Amino acid sequence: MKKLLTLLSLVFLLMSCGKEKQKNENVLYLYGWADYIPTKIYEDFEKETGIKVVEDIYSSNEEMFAKIKAGGTGYDILTPSTDYAEILMNDGMLEKLDKSKLPSLKNIDPMVLEKLQYFDKNNEYAFPFAMGATAIAVNTKYVKNFPRDFTIYDNSEYKGKMTLLDDMREVMTSALGTLGYPQTTTDEANIAEAANLVKGWKKNIAKFDSESFGKGFASEDFWVVQCYPDNVLNELTEEQLKTTEFIIPEKGGTAYIDSFVIPKSAPNKEAAYKFLDFIQRPENYKLVADHLRIPSINVPARELMATKPIYSVQDLEKTVILKDIKNTLDIQNKYWQQILID
């Protein structure tokens, strides 16, 4: 779901961000990812409360942040990933949650809440919506006896049939983790070592790809792809699913937690609280988990799900959540540019 903004779209974004939405107690404005929340959730929420949800879509955290930072107001709920929830919180842009209005908070897996506490110590700003992993998809029809980690990219037997994401944070964090280093390391020697590891992987991949890996995997042009699993699943037939395995590496594995946050400027905070509490009721959240085909972060909803997740909650426990690395972002980017050029 991460795409770079074009200059044209950014200009349009900044020109339009000052247009405030009019407050209406019966309308809730949500700014989030495309095809993320089932339409039935919105319909059932409106039936119960009389509040209509109007959804605006962004294609990257960067797009969302640019709009909000430039003065885009009128949204009651945002759906940032963890690093941008941290940035928004640190910039003083978020409402502190009144947990007395969120009784369904008790349904969320403590493991998920704990993973957010590195920046949101008492879970006071980010209300978790979904947790999933960046995975490695493997076509087992062609790839046999493979390691369940990033060392699969060391195998020259699959040269030209593998891809990595065109995403510095994802790839460098995975390389650092594979070597046993944290993503927040400030030791440039560690970062250089991780970059050299990626250069070795680059020799065996067809390309860095964050756009077409799903279609490339489905067409069997590629047999091993670092991916966001939903983008692969949406391209596969039921028959292809039988020969597809998703690896969640214990070392170097990354995950995301997308949370609901309420901006301080939200015009309809009470409606926002009602929606947050509504969606984490087990009977409602099961629709989300079934739709996304990921493990339910809502513990009671796990018993209600109609589909089997493509990986388990246990697979997520050893993954790392991408953090704001402002102290070393420039250093990592320097080495990433060298990787792309070499």
Side-chain angles (χ1 to χ4, degrees):
M1 289 187 286
K2 297 182 179 180
K3 298 178 182 177
L4 294 176
L5 281 175
T6 64
L7 179 60
L8 181 62
S9 64
L10 182 58
V11 170
F12 176 80
L13 171 69
L14 296 177
M15 290 175 61
S16 63
C17 68
K19 298 178 182 178
E20 290 196 21
K21 302 179 188 305
Q22 297 297 313
K23 180 177 179 180
N24 183 332
E25 292 184 357
N26 293 320
V27 178
L28 172 73
Y29 289 98
L30 185 150
Y31 196 24
W33 303 100
D35 194 31
Y36 213 24
I37 299 174
T39 302
K40 191 174 188 320
I41 292 287
Y42 296 142
E43 294 171 348
D44 290 350
F45 179 70
E46 184 174 3
K47 286 178 185 177
E48 179 175 314
T49 65
I51 299 170
K52 178 179 177 61
V53 179
V54 176
E55 183 182 43
D56 284 355
I57 300 301
Y58 54 81
S59 59
S60 72
N61 283 292
E62 291 79 8
E63 178 184 345
M64 174 274 296
F65 183 72
K67 183 172 184 178
I68 301 303
K69 189 70 172 177
T73 59
Y75 292 111
D76 302 300
I77 297 173
L78 309 174
T79 319
S81 300
T82 315
D83 48 347
Y84 274 83
E86 179 183 3
I87 293 169
L88 288 163
M89 186 193 78
N90 288 338
D91 282 358
M93 300 171 72
L94 301 183
E95 181 82 2
K96 187 174 181 179
L97 298 175
D98 181 348
K99 295 182 185 179
S100 69
K101 297 177 181 179
L102 298 168
S104 66
L105 180 64
K106 68 179 184 297
N107 295 326
I108 298 174
D109 192 319
M111 179 269 290
V112 179
L113 294 171
E114 184 180 350
K115 282 185 177 287
L116 290 172
Q117 288 172 5
Y118 77 88
F119 79 94
D120 187 5
K121 187 174 181 180
N122 296 309
N123 300 109
E124 294 179 322
Y125 292 92
F127 187 81
F129 169 62
M131 180 176 181
T134 304
I136 302 171
V138 179
N139 187 328
T140 57
K141 185 162 64 172
Y142 301 106
V143 182
K144 311 291 184 182
N145 303 317
F146 50 89
R148 304 188 64 81
D149 55 37
F150 280 92
T151 60
I152 193 171
Y153 286 98
D154 294 325
N155 196 332
S156 60
E157 182 180 353
Y158 309 123
K159 186 173 183 177
K161 290 294 185 179
M162 304 190 289
T163 68
L164 286 165
L165 288 170
D166 187 11
D167 187 304
M168 180 195 77
R169 290 301 320 283
E170 290 281 9
V171 176
M172 287 295 290
T173 300
S174 293
L176 286 165
T178 299
L179 294 168
Y181 302 134
Q183 62 180 298
T184 53
T185 181
T186 57
D187 187 337
E188 187 168 350
N190 294 346
I191 297 171
E193 187 180 351
N196 284 333
L197 181 62
V198 177
K199 288 178 182 178
W201 296 344
K202 184 183 177 184
K203 294 176 182 178
N204 292 326
I205 65 172
K207 59 180 176 176
F208 292 103
D209 178 18
S210 291
E211 297 291 333
S212 59
F213 57 80
K215 293 184 183 299
F217 188 83
S219 66
E220 299 186 350
D221 290 336
F222 309 121
W223 302 340
V224 177
V225 297
Q226 185 187 21
C227 66
Y228 308 115
D230 53 317
N231 295 113
V232 172
L233 287 168
N234 291 338
E235 301 291 341
L236 300 182
T237 65
E238 289 300 318
E239 192 63 27
Q240 286 178 309
L241 281 171
K242 296 176 183 177
T243 56
T244 299
E245 190 165 345
F246 290 95
I247 302 171
I248 312 296
E250 288 191 5
K251 291 182 65 176
T254 63
Y256 64 86
I257 299 176
D258 290 339
S259 296
F260 292 126
V261 297
I262 302 175
K264 279 187 176 178
S265 60
N268 202 350
K269 293 184 175 71
E270 290 306 309
Y273 278 113
K274 288 179 182 178
F275 184 79
L276 267 56
D277 191 60
F278 178 87
I279 205 167
Q280 282 294 354
R281 294 182 201 165
E283 67 274 16
N284 296 328
Y285 193 81
K286 78 175 185 67
L287 300 175
V288 173
D290 281 338
H291 175 68
L292 297 175
R293 289 178 283 189
I294 58 176
S296 171
I297 67 168
N298 184 304
V299 177
R302 291 171 187 166
E303 301 300 321
L304 305 176
M305 289 179 64
T307 62
K308 182 179 179 181
I310 57 173
Y311 48 83
S312 71
V313 173
Q314 290 71 33
D315 289 330
L316 297 173
E317 290 179 354
K318 293 186 179 181
T319 58
V320 297
I321 305 298
L322 293 182
K323 299 178 180 179
D324 179 13
I325 57 164
K326 54 182 176 293
N327 293 330
T328 59
L329 183 61
D330 289 344
I331 298 173
Q332 288 202 26
N333 187 57
K334 177 184 74 173
Y335 283 96
W336 179 248
Q337 295 307 315
Q338 292 176 6
I339 291 167
L340 297 181
I341 294 170
D342 285 354

